[in-house]
Amino acid sequence: MRLMSGDRGCQVGPLRVVTTDLARFGLAVGHATDTAGATGCTVVRGIDAPHRAAVAVLGRATGSRELALLEPGHLVERVDAVFLTGGSAYGLDATAGVMRWMEERRRGFAVGPGVVPIVPAAVVFDLLPLGRFDARPTAEMAYAACEAATSQDIAEGSVGAGTGATVGKLAGPTGLMKGGLGIAVAEGEGCAAAAIAVVNAFGDVRDASGAIIAGARDAQGRFLDSAAAIAKGLPSGGFIAGTNTTLVVVALDAAYSRLELQSIARSATAAMHRHITPAGTASDGDIVFALSPMEGRRAPLAQGEQLAAQALGAAIERAVRLATSAV
């Protein structure tokens, strides 16, 4: 792998920009991308049925919608889709497009003569520095993402909610690198986990060996090691707090309760701490959604936790390896 100091992308050898079939998880993923505006959105929806869901909030600078209903004990057990979007808080308005797509197909929580689609959403901040501040995902884009959703050959890298993503913000705009969206699957005996990660992190991204593969750089293009620099007390280069987020959806092909899914979501955050340093800071809006079928075969909780973390680690790495330069 070769990192170009004059580039904002992570340059690697040949990689197929497709991913494992997600049909076994009952999921389809669709993107809408505004390349010129450096923003976009991604829908993770059931192919033809809802999923049970829970959430773990790791960062303290989040932008979200409908997270409270994912807590154990809430009346509504199911979700129809999870919406990941750019545009910061403005991007939450685009969720209406997912709602409309679902309602037209009468998919949602039944209420009298109609349905109310259940669509939790979360945002990344991509208003700066790559695109136009006034470019935000729209409801029409979200509707189109639902239409385009597929379980096979799903695009990764600088697409959908990962379009304007960047990583390694410690040194400011001149030292960062391109982030993106990655998908990976971890296989176990009788169970599998998939992870979809939008990586727009304040920190650096590391591979499985712990080596930094994308992150903050100095004027000579050398990695600064953000976590080490922060620990030493070195000042930042002018990053804007609250503009960084990693959004994740992990999915299991075995059925789990909502309480178990919450545990799986929390366990998956271990992969964020291993592969993004630092992660879950006061400047990040990191959120992990966990999904499983409403009914079906069971698998041990510990297995689901480990597989989710394994899949997420690989998805984070793919997000930056498959990202394309913005310059």
Side-chain angles (χ1 to χ4, degrees), residues 61-88:
T62 59
S64 62
R65 165 176 165 156
E66 299 277 42
L67 288 199
L69 62 77
L70 299 179
E71 293 294 324
H74 197 280
L75 171 65
V76 180
E77 278 275 331
R78 46 82 64 75
V79 301
D80 297 288
V82 174
F83 184 55
L84 311 177
T85 181
S88 190

Side-chain angles (χ1 to χ4, degrees), residues 184 186 191-195 248-252 263-265 267-269 271 274 288-290 301-315:
C191 185
V248 174
V249 177
V250 293
L252 290 301
S263 180
I264 288 169
S267 292
T269 65
R274 284 195 298 268
V288 179
F289 299 93
L301 174 59
Q303 184 184 28
E305 292 173 333
Q306 292 304 307
L307 288 172
Q310 288 178 18
L312 178 51

Side-chain angles (χ1 to χ4, degrees), residues 8 14 16 78-79 105 131 168 174 276:
R8 287 181 179 168
R16 295 177 62 220
R78 46 82 64 75
V79 301
R105 290 151 183 82
T174 60
I276 301 173

Side-chain angles (χ1 to χ4, degrees), residues 176-204:
L176 53 76
M177 294 183 70
K178 193 70 180 65
L181 180 148
I183 306 177
V185 171
E187 298 275 357
E189 185 67 35
C191 185
I196 301 147
V198 179
V199 182
N200 186 53
F202 164 58
D204 306 323

Side-chain angles (χ1 to χ4, degrees), residues 115-155:
V115 297
V116 177
I118 307 300
V119 186
V123 303
V124 299
F125 183 98
D126 56 6
L127 304 178
L128 298 171
L130 300 183
R132 300 195 325 271
F133 192 90
D134 63 349
R136 295 98 187 235
T138 64
E140 291 71 27
M141 290 173 65
Y143 188 98
C146 287
E147 283 282 279
T150 179
S151 298
Q152 297 179 323
D153 297 344
I154 304 166

Side-chain angles (χ1 to χ4, degrees), residues 217-252:
R217 298 171 295 172
D218 62 19
Q220 288 72 47
R222 297 171 300 196
F223 288 126
L224 293 173
D225 191 337
S226 297
I230 292 167
K232 290 177 182 177
L234 298 183
S236 72
F239 80 96
I240 303 173
T243 61
N244 322 285
T245 293
T246 298
L247 300 179
V248 174
V249 177
V250 293
L252 290 301

